[in-house]
Structures are given as structure tokens and as C-alpha cells.
């Protein structure tokens, strides 16, 4: 398709229409369609609706085809509509929530879940997904941490890249692929006090060092679209923030794809009180090169007049529309407006056994074993168990971004255990009453399936109390009163404060693992599978510690438990360390680390060295271990974190086997990004750490020199 030629044929109204995204019910009256966000009456004429260029959400292939057909029938130039939706962790086959996915430390899980999601969603007519969410967050009060990939920029970037690769592959027009729209640019994961949509106030240094990398990873991987975030940044809403949208996105990151507002984000510029009215918001949006306005009407109602009165240039509109049409062309929509939407395939292939078994395989890798005293897990044969608590009988394991997932097709934990032949003698999904104690006396082990209500996680679901409700904890107390062993299985979308379940003998962090959650958890509980997940967000001891993250700076007065000095950095009423640190997770195997070796103690410009360590499985159970490499720059011009993740490997080790894991270290791993976004490196001493989690590492020093003779330090 010759886009420039098409552009010349388009009227100004037709061009402006391309910059509007509406929900499908504007075109047809169907109830199957789900959209996200409060729906405003935009007061559009039918003519304006039928000029819109894209659609937010669609129910299925039939509906998709109906909307496209109706739209194209009266369209003058037959430019097809583009369909976008939030396919975040699955379409109908639901995968673990992204936070859980990252706990696999295996980017293949992200890749394969994105492949299947793209296949299923594109079969139903969706061509762009609003995913991945690359917002780094350190605040579990923020409900959207469930949609992210944890607190570490390196790990986040790896997962984001795998998601984009999985959705798009090399060719977004090919069957089974879709385009990715990374969101929410930028800094949306850092709202003050974890309150969704709240102000973001960060230094340029934090922005470049910590928060930008996730979005950059998506763009480097070729993500076709970028969604602006709701928050302000330096006092200016991201949607119209020219530093973010032009200086960083277009110039520093060289992004030349399509930008879109978040849901009614352009209108919110008025609510932020940075624009008086829709007309001013439209001017600001165009000046920030925002191409598509989602679910509000600043552009469609004002751009024509703004051009006619020479307030904005038509060439800016032409550029935006050219980007939008090029995306449609790249998706192959001019050749086939229906894309890969196919009613037969939809019936046959969506949520197939193959997809579901992949979902189960992935779920196995995402649960994290937090505690396992006296090796109570895995359950031994013939153990009589009670399964109690709200998640004993619940099938609600999909996680919130699963609008096409049907929880009725899932099974509960108690049923999954029964299917595996576990002797489940008591099931109770309600709150406990004192007489339940008689039933608990009959069993050897009480499995408490506790957690957050799924509706307390996700967008607009900020909370301040991260403890489990007391009525749930009562189950543990009841079981402990009669000295029963307790295994707590936790269903939640964020790190929680777990002090009130300390009495549990074992804790399995189950997150929301999707369609096959409970089958996968049953496999882990009985030892058919060995837990291998590790945390990607620190679990605080108390809400007052938030934000808490492993890669913090040292402070000028660090706490030292061996020296009595009250003038140090500590809380009077709580330990300042996390309850469970970043990178932590147990296994039924017992891994020992030994013999850390460096290929050289000196590293030179453009030369790399290797470090290795030997891990021995001292148990009779084969298991996966996630080996983590951290680096500290001992002294630098700007304070740098105590440690930063620079590599990891997930390896299978057979019983009593030893394996040596090797990491390459190059200048890139020693470098940092400064407050202008530039990469810097400094000569000097670095501490190389390898370990099983961020809090348990072995260390060795290396010196970074210009060449064999130099030992100077400069940038
Ligand atoms: C969310 C976005 C989402 C959009 C469309 C917004 O409220 O912040 O993440 O893509 O709705 O559903």
C-alpha cells in the first residue's frame, strides 16, 4: 500500500478520524464486548464514529467481522479499522499473572505465553495488545504490581523483551502474531504512596537508571506502539509531556511507531488542570506527538478548527496518520481487513489441550516456596489432609487481566488434590467456626488456602493493609491449637506482610497462576513437581518499610549489627531487612554453593572475564536452581546500589550431582547510566557476587583497568 498516496486522497476529517479510538459498541450494539474504564458519552455524531481509525476491545471473531464489515461498507476509502485490546496474560487460555511469570526467572515462559496469547487473540480479531506493562514498581500497595515483572530493571527488561518477541515474532502480519503496545510511558509504577494514578516525582537519575529500561527493552525489541501513562512527570501529565514523549521517546530511544493515550488520558490533562479545555488538551497532545486518542474526543472535535486557524500544522497530523496507516499496512490489513480473525479456528484452536498443558507447565515454574520446616512438603503418601480457607473451593485463579478467561473451567485446589489421589478428608471454603476443630482433629495436615480477593488486585486497587484478614488466619490458629501441621497456600497479586501466618510450617506463594493454577499447585504439593520459582519483589515485614527493594543505596550511616551505634539507618520498631528478599525461593532439593572462581582478577577495556561457581544438589530430588550474579561498584562518582543483578541462570541438577555455572563479565556489566541518560563506566574495584538469592551470596573482587599497567579512575 502506498501510504503517502492514500494520505493525499484523504480529507482532513478522514485523517483526524484515524486518530480516534472507540469501543465497539459505538459501531454495533453487542454485550459480549468488554472495555476497560468508565464509559463517557463522547457526544459524537454517527459520521464521526464511522471515521474512527481503531477499536478498543472486541468480543470474538464474529463480532470483529461484523464491526469491520459494517464500517467498511460505507467507508469512502475503505481504510480498515484496527482492533486493539488488553491481552495481558492470556486470551482464553490464562497464564500466570506477569508478576508470577517473572518468578520463573525463565523468559521462555513469557515468550510461550505471549505466543499462545497472540495466536488466540488474533484468531478472534485482535491485532494489537496493550502489553507488556513495563512499569517497574517497588510498592506493593499499588495494585498493578501484579501486571509488572518485579522490582529489578534487568530482570524486567528480559521479560519485557520476551513478551514482545512472543507477540510479534519477525512479522506482525503473519498468522499467530500480533503487534505489541508497551505501556505506560513513563514512570506509572512509581505513584506516591502506592496510590494508583497519583503524582510521580522522581529524579532524572532514578528515571534513567531504574525506570526507563523496561520501556526501552520493548522498543529495542521492536514494539510497534507505546501507550502514554496517566501520571504526571515533573508536573506535566505524561500524555502531553514533551520531555518524555519527544526528547526521550522519539529522540533518545528513536521510537518511530505509533503512540496512544491511556484510557481518556488526553481528557485527564484538563482534570490535572494543565489544560483549560479539550481544545488546549488537543494542542498539547499534538505537540507531544500523541497519535491516537483513546476514549475521549479532544482531537476529533478540535483539530480541524486548530488547523484552519493555523494553531497547529496539518503536517503534524499527516505524520501521525502516516504512522497509524503504516501500522495497518504492516499488519496486512489493506490486503485483508479481517486479518486472522476466523470463526472456525476460534472454535477449534482457542483454549486447546495443547495451550492448556503449556499453561500448566508454565504455572509449575512460577509458584515460590517460601517456607518448608522439617520438610513437611511434599506431602507424603497416605497423609490425611484438610483443605480449608476461601481458596479451598474457589476457582478464581485467573488474575484480573483475564476478561476472556472463564473461571468455571478451572478447578479448585481441593478438587485438584483429590484428582491426584490425595486423601482429602475435610474441605471447608468458609470462615472457620470453633466446631471445625473436631474435623481438623481427623487429619494429619491442614492446608490453608488463603489470600487476597482477586478484585483487590490490579488497576485502581491500591491498599494500605497488606496483611491477610484475621478471619482467614483463624484457620491456622485453630489447626495450631490442636498441634496440627499447617501448609499455607497463598493466592495474591502483590507481596504481602506475612507475620500473621508465621505459625505455618510451610508457605507456598501461588499468586494467580491462571487456567491451570490448582492442577499445577497440586503437583507441587505432592512432589510430582519440585518448586523452583524465586521472588522478584521483596516481601516487607511491615507496610511502613515500603518502598523496600534489594538494589538500594548504602546510605552514609548504614546499620551494622555488630557495632552498637544508634545513629545509623534502622527502624526502632522493625528490622529494616525484608521478610523474604528479592531472589528468594526454596526447593525440595538442597543446593550448596562452593568454589567461586574468577578467570582473572583484572578486567580491561573491551575485554571480558568469566566467573564460575559449583552447585551441588545434596538431596535425592532433582531440581532447578536459579543462580544469580550481582555486581557492586566499590567506589564511583555517584552513589550506586549495594548490589545490582547482572545475570542469572536456571539449571536442572540431578540428585547428588554437581554443576558448574559460568557467567561472562564485560564492561557493560560494570557501567551505569547517569542523570542525562548516558552510559558511563569507571575504572576501579568491583565486587562480584554469586548466590541463591540477593541476600545470600559469595563474593570476589576484580579490578577494572584501562590496560595491564594502569590503575587510574576516571570516566
Ligand atoms: C489501563 C490500560 C489499558 C486501558 C485500556 C486503562 O485504564 O490503564 O492499561 O490498556 O485502560 O483497557
Amino acid at each position: 500500500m502506498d501510504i503517502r498516496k492514500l494520505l493525499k486522497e484523504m480529507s482532513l476529517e478522514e485523517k483526524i478520524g484515524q486518530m480516534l479510538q472507540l469501543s465497539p459498541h459505538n459501531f454495533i450494539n453487542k454485550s459480549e464486548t468488554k472495555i476497560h474504564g468508565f464509559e463517557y458519552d463522547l457526544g459524537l455524531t454517527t459520521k464521526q464514529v464511522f471515521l474512527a481509525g481503531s477499536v478498543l476491545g472486541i468480543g470474538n471473531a464474529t463480532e470483529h467481522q461484523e464491526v469491520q464489515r459494517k464500517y467498511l461498507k460505507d467507508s469512502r476509502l475503505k481504510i480498515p479499522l484496527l482492533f486493539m485490546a488488553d491481552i495481558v496474560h492470556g486470551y482464553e487460555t490464562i497464564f500466570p499473572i506477569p508478576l508470577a511469570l517473572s518468578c520463573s526467572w525463565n523468559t521462555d515462559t513469557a515468550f510461550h505465553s505471549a505466543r499462545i496469547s497472540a495466536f488466540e487473540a488474533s484468531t478472534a480479531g485482535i491485532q494489537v495488545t496493550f502489553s507488556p506493562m513495563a512499569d517497574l514498581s517497588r510498592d506493593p500497595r499499588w495494585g498493578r504490581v501484579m501486571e509488572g515483572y518485579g522490582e529489578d530493571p534487568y530482570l524486567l527488561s528480559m521479560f519485557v523483551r520476551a513478551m514482545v518477541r512472543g507477540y510479534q515474532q519477525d512479522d506482525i502480519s503473519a498468522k499467530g502474531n500480533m503487534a505489541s503496545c508497551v505501556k505506560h510511558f513513563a514512570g506509572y509504577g512509581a505513584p506516591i504512596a502506592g496510590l494508583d494514578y497519583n503524582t510521580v516525582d522522581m529524579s532524572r537519575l532514578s528515571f534513567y537508571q531504574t525506570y526507563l529500561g523496561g520501556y526501552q527493552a520493548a522498543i529495542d525489541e521492536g514494539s510497534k506502539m507505546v501507550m502514554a501513562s496517566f501520571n504526571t512527570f515533573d508536573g506535566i501529565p505524561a500524555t502531553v509531556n514533551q520531555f518524555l514523549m519527544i526528547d526521550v521517546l522519539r529522540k533518545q530511544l528513536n521510537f518511530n511507531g505509533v503512540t496512544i493515550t491511556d484510557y481518556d488520558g488526553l481528557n485527564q490533562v484538563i482534570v490535572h488542570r494543565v489544560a483549560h479545555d479539550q481544545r488546549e488538551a488537543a494542542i498539547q497532545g499534538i505537540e507531544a506527538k500523541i497519535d491516537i486518542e483513546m476514549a475521549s474526543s479532544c482531537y476529533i472535535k478540535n483539530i480541524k478548527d486548530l488547523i484552519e486557524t493555523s494553531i497547529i500544522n496539518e503536517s503534524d497530523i499527516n505524520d501521525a496518520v502516516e504512522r497509524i496507516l503504516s501500522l495497518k499496512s504492516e499488519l496486512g490489513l489493506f490486503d485483508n481487513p479481517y486479518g486472522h480473525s476466523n470463526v472456525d479456528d476460534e472454535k477449534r484452536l482457542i483454549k486447546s489441550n495443547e495451550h492448556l498443558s503449556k499453561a500448566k507447565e508454565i504455572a509449575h515454574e512460577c509458584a515460590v516456596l517460601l517456607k518448608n520446616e522439617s520438610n513437611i512438603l511434599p506431602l507424603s503418601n497416605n497423609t490425611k489432609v484438610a483443605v480449608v480457607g476461601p481458596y479451598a473451593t474457589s476457582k478464581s485463579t485467573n488474575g484480573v487481566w483475564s476478561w476472556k478467561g472463564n473461571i468455571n473451567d478451572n478447578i479448585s485446589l481441593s478438587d485438584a488434590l483429590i484428582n491426584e489421589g490425595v486423601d482429602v478428608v475435610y474441605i471447608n471454603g468458609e470462615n472457620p467456626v470453633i466446631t471445625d476443630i473436631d474435623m481438623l482433629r481427623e487429619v494429619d495436615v491442614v492446608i490453608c488456602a488463603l489470600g487476597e480477593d482477586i478484585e483487590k488486585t490490579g488497576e485502581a486497587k491500591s491498599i494500605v493493609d497488606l496483611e491477610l484478614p484475621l478471619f482467614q488466619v483463624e484457620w491456622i490458629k485453630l489447626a495450631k491449637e490442636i498441634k496440627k501441621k499447617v501448609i499455607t497456600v497463598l493466592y495474591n497479586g502483590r507481596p504481602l506482610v506475612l507475620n500473621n501466618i508465621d505459625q505455618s510450617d510451610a508457605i507456598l506463594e501461588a499468586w494467580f497462576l491462571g487456567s491451570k493454577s490448582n492442577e499445577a499447585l497440586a503437583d507441587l504439593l505432592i512432589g510430582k513437581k519440585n518448586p523452583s520459582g524465586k521472588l522478584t519483589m521483596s516481601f516487607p515485614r511491615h507496610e511502613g518499610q515500603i518502598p523496600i527493594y534489594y538494589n538500594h543505596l548504602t546510605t552514609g550511616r548504614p546499620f551494622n549489627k555488630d557495632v552498637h551505634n544508634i545513629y545509623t539507618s534502622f527502624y526502632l520498631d522493625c528490622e529494616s531487612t525484608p521478610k523474604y528478599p528479592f531472589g528468594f525461593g526454596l526447593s525440595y532439593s538442597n543446593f550448596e554453593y562452593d568454589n567461586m572462581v574468577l578467570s582473572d582478577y583484572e578486567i580491561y577495556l573491551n575485554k571480558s572475564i568469566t566467573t564460575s561457581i559449583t552447585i551441588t544438589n545434596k538431596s535425592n530430588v532433582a531440581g532447578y536452581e536459579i543462580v544469580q550474579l550481582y555486581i557492586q561498584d566499590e567506589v564511583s562518582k555517584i552513589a550506586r546500589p549495594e548490589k545490582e543483578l547482572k545475570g542469572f541462570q536456571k539449571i536442572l541438577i540431578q540428585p547428588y550431582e554437581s554443576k558448574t555455572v559460568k557467567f561472562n563479565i564485560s564492561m557493560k556489566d560494570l557501567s551505569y547510566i547517569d542523570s542525562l541518560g548516558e552510559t558511563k563506566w569507571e575504572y576501579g574495584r568491583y565486587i562480584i557476587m554469586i548466590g541463591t538469592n540477593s541476600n545470600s551470596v559469595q563474593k570476589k573482587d576484580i579490578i577494572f583497568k584501562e590496560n595491564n599497567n594502569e590503575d587510574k579512575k576516571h570516566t
Side-chain angles (χ1 to χ4, degrees):
M1 164 61 61
D2 186 340
I3 301 295
R4 294 256 163 91
K5 185 161 167 266
L6 177 61
L7 210 52
K8 288 211 179 88
E9 287 168 33
M10 291 170 81
S11 67
L12 186 54
E13 282 91 346
E14 282 166 337
K15 290 189 227 173
I16 300 165
Q18 288 299 314
M19 301 172 78
L20 172 66
Q21 177 163 106
L22 293 173
S23 60
H25 75 84
N26 286 282
F27 305 91
I28 51 163
N29 198 8
K30 275 272 155 68
S31 57
E32 264 241 42
T33 305
K34 297 222 174 89
I35 66 135
H36 200 76
F38 186 81
E39 279 218 66
Y40 301 90
D41 180 1
L42 301 181
L44 299 178
T45 62
T46 309
K47 186 176 169 218
Q48 284 171 322
V49 166
F50 279 83
L51 286 176
S54 59
V55 177
L56 164 63
I58 195 74
N60 50 46
T62 312
E63 205 174 291
H64 163 253
Q65 291 171 23
E66 189 184 340
V67 173
Q68 190 72 287
R69 200 170 302 117
K70 189 165 174 204
Y71 178 87
L72 289 175
K73 195 169 132 277
D74 297 322
S75 156
R76 190 176 75 92
L77 293 167
K78 311 281 175 228
I79 301 172
L81 277 168
L82 175 53
F83 290 77
M84 311 189 191
D86 299 272
I87 312 301
V88 176
H89 54 107
Y91 182 67
E92 283 195 29
T93 305
I94 304 299
F95 295 93
I97 55 171
L99 180 60
L101 210 58
S102 67
C103 291
S104 70
W105 293 61
N106 174 3
T107 53
D108 285 353
T109 61
F111 175 79
H112 290 297
S113 66
R115 287 294 316 122
I116 292 173
S117 304
F119 182 84
E120 292 193 353
S122 59
T123 305
I126 296 163
Q127 293 126 4
V128 177
T129 175
F130 295 133
S131 169
M133 186 186 94
D135 305 318
L136 184 135
S137 184
R138 295 165 159 176
D139 196 330
R141 291 171 298 184
W142 190 54
R144 298 195 86 163
V145 297
M146 53 80 53
E147 291 175 56
Y149 301 87
E151 72 188 32
D152 179 69
Y154 174 81
L155 192 76
L156 166 78
S157 298
M158 303 274 286
F159 272 84
V160 162
R161 285 192 96 116
M163 292 298 291
V164 175
R165 209 160 47 241
Y167 290 133
Q168 299 194 161
Q169 297 277 70
D170 291 335
D171 173 7
I172 53 170
S173 73
K175 189 173 167 68
N177 297 351
M178 70 199 305
S180 150
C181 173
V182 62
K183 65 191 184 186
H184 308 83
F185 196 79
Y188 179 50
I192 291 177
L195 185 63
D196 205 2
Y197 316 126
N198 204 5
T199 309
V200 166
D201 191 6
M202 63 172 68
S203 67
R204 290 286 156 100
L205 189 65
S206 297
F207 172 66
Y208 280 118
Q209 282 194 348
T210 309
Y211 291 91
L212 185 63
Y215 316 108
Q216 181 167 7
I219 291 163
D220 289 349
E221 196 58 51
S223 191
K224 299 289 170 195
M225 287 185 62
V226 171
M227 183 188 291
S229 55
F230 287 131
N231 54 278
T232 52
F233 185 95
D234 284 347
I236 300 172
T239 312
V240 295
N241 187 312
Q242 294 187 25
F243 165 72
L244 290 180
M245 293 300 159
I246 296 185
D247 299 347
V248 179
L249 184 65
R250 300 285 185 188
K251 295 187 182 153
Q252 277 180 285
L253 304 188
N254 287 322
F255 178 70
N256 53 20
V258 175
T259 51
I260 185 168
T261 70
D262 199 345
Y263 197 92
D264 90 341
L266 201 49
N267 226 23
Q268 288 178 31
V269 178
I270 306 165
V271 190
H272 279 295
R273 291 185 287 111
V274 170
H276 284 99
D277 50 24
Q278 288 206 325
R279 185 180 162 89
E280 213 174 294
I283 299 171
Q284 293 184 18
I286 295 301
E287 286 176 348
K289 291 195 192 297
I290 289 288
D291 300 332
I292 302 180
E293 177 180 11
M294 183 199 296
S296 55
S297 52
C298 306
Y299 280 177
I300 191 92
K301 290 188 178 153
N302 293 290
I303 290 182
K304 186 162 185 270
D305 185 58
L306 288 169
I307 291 174
E308 283 167 1
T309 50
S310 302
I311 292 175
I312 58 177
N313 290 327
E314 189 165 353
S315 63
D316 290 336
I317 305 306
N318 289 342
D319 291 347
V321 177
E322 188 175 335
R323 288 190 284 268
I324 298 167
L325 297 179
S326 301
L327 178 60
K328 292 186 176 185
S329 166
E330 215 186 319
L331 281 158
L333 296 182
F334 288 106
D335 301 328
N336 174 14
Y338 300 95
H340 300 290
S341 153
N342 185 312
V343 179
D344 290 337
D345 280 0
E346 192 179 39
K347 284 203 196 94
R348 258 180 336 110
L349 303 172
I350 289 188
K351 215 172 177 183
S352 63
N353 286 338
E354 194 194 324
H355 293 182
L356 286 169
S357 78
K358 197 71 195 171
K360 184 170 165 189
E361 209 180 280
I362 290 175
H364 284 137
E365 291 197 55
C366 300
V368 185
L369 183 62
L370 295 178
K371 185 173 180 185
N372 193 17
E373 270 173 18
S374 331
N375 291 335
I376 173 144
L377 282 173
L379 291 171
S380 32
N381 285 343
N382 307 321
T383 310
K384 281 190 173 32
V385 306
V387 189
V388 298
Y391 281 97
T393 49
S394 168
K395 299 173 175 184
S396 181
T397 56
N398 281 353
V400 274
W401 272 123
S402 56
W403 50 285
K404 288 294 287 183
N406 182 355
I407 62 166
N408 296 322
D409 297 346
N410 300 353
I411 67 169
S412 67
L413 184 63
S414 48
D415 283 344
L417 287 165
I418 292 167
N419 290 350
E420 287 299 331
V422 175
D423 193 4
V424 178
V425 295
Y426 185 56
I427 302 170
N428 189 339
E430 303 296 321
N431 296 343
V433 289
I434 194 71
T435 47
D436 283 315
I437 220 163
D438 298 331
M439 305 306 295
L440 299 187
R441 279 188 217 283
E442 306 298 312
V443 304
D444 306 311
V445 168
V446 180
I447 298 182
C448 296
L450 314 179
E452 293 187 287
D453 185 328
I454 219 150
E455 292 303 330
K456 279 194 168 173
T457 74
E459 183 175 352
K461 304 292 161 51
S462 300
I463 57 172
V464 293
D465 181 358
L466 297 182
E467 294 209 324
L468 287 181
L470 287 178
F471 64 84
Q472 292 195 23
V473 179
E474 273 308 308
W475 274 117
I476 302 178
K477 286 201 180 135
L478 222 54
K480 279 295 162 189
E481 242 171 77
I482 51 170
K483 307 217 165 2
K484 294 293 169 185
K485 294 282 184 203
V486 169
I487 295 164
T488 299
V489 182
L490 277 179
Y491 297 74
N492 46 304
R494 50 160 65 81
L496 295 175
V497 171
L498 297 180
N499 302 329
N500 67 6
I501 63 160
D502 267 346
Q503 278 187 299
S504 315
D505 299 275
I507 303 175
L508 182 62
E509 173 53 75
W511 308 114
F512 294 112
L513 297 180
S515 306
K516 287 299 198 182
S517 175
N518 285 324
E519 286 98 322
L521 291 169
D523 287 347
L524 293 166
L525 292 169
I526 64 172
K528 208 163 149 185
K529 293 282 169 186
N530 188 353
S532 63
K534 297 207 181 195
L535 297 178
T536 56
M537 274 189 90
S538 309
F539 273 46
R541 296 172 190 277
H542 189 283
E543 292 88 348
Q545 292 177 288
I546 297 169
I548 182 166
Y549 46 94
Y550 86 94
N551 46 356
H552 54 82
L553 303 184
T554 308
T555 85
R557 288 187 168 175
F559 176 70
N560 179 349
K561 65 177 175 10
D562 301 324
V563 179
H564 180 70
N565 177 0
I566 58 160
Y567 296 103
T568 58
S569 194
F570 72 105
Y571 293 109
L572 290 175
D573 53 354
C574 178
E575 269 187 57
S576 46
T577 55
K579 182 145 184 127
Y580 295 107
F582 175 83
F584 178 83
L586 303 171
S587 156
Y588 299 149
S589 314
N590 173 15
F591 300 114
E592 276 190 21
Y593 283 60
D594 192 24
N595 196 25
M596 181 176 170
V597 175
L598 286 168
S599 65
D600 201 331
Y601 290 94
E602 295 188 343
I603 179 168
Y604 310 118
L605 270 184
N606 302 319
K607 290 257 173 346
S608 59
I609 60 169
T610 59
T611 178
S612 64
I613 199 155
T614 303
I615 298 129
T616 305
N617 181 353
K618 298 262 181 176
S619 75
N620 60 3
V621 192
Y624 281 93
E625 169 64 341
I626 297 160
V627 188
Q628 300 158 38
L629 170 77
Y630 297 90
I631 296 186
Q632 184 196 94
D633 183 352
E634 196 186 44
V635 179
S636 43
K637 282 188 178 158
I638 58 163
R640 292 187 63 184
E642 290 208 339
K643 47 174 85 82
E644 295 168 70
L645 185 73
K646 293 293 176 184
F648 59 87
Q649 287 180 40
K650 186 168 183 175
I651 48 160
L652 177 64
I653 314 185
Q654 297 300 332
Y656 307 107
E657 187 194 11
S658 292
K659 268 195 178 162
T660 298
V661 171
K662 235 186 215 176
F663 293 98
N664 243 356
I665 299 171
S666 68
M667 261 173 65
K668 189 169 160 277
D669 303 308
L670 310 180
S671 66
Y672 65 91
I673 302 172
D674 71 6
S675 56
L676 297 174
E678 281 167 19
T679 302
K680 297 268 156 145
W681 43 263
E682 295 180 18
Y683 298 123
R685 187 180 303 276
Y686 290 78
I687 300 164
I688 309 298
M689 295 165 260
I690 309 184
T692 182
N693 67 62
S694 62
N695 203 28
S696 170
V697 291
Q698 301 196 11
K699 303 179 180 180
K700 289 222 184 283
D701 293 3
I702 58 166
I703 307 269
F704 178 26
K705 288 180 171 180
E706 189 171 353
N707 57 49
N708 296 15
N709 313 315
E710 296 284 330
D711 194 6
K712 58 183 185 201
K713 183 145 180 120
H714 66 90
T715 53

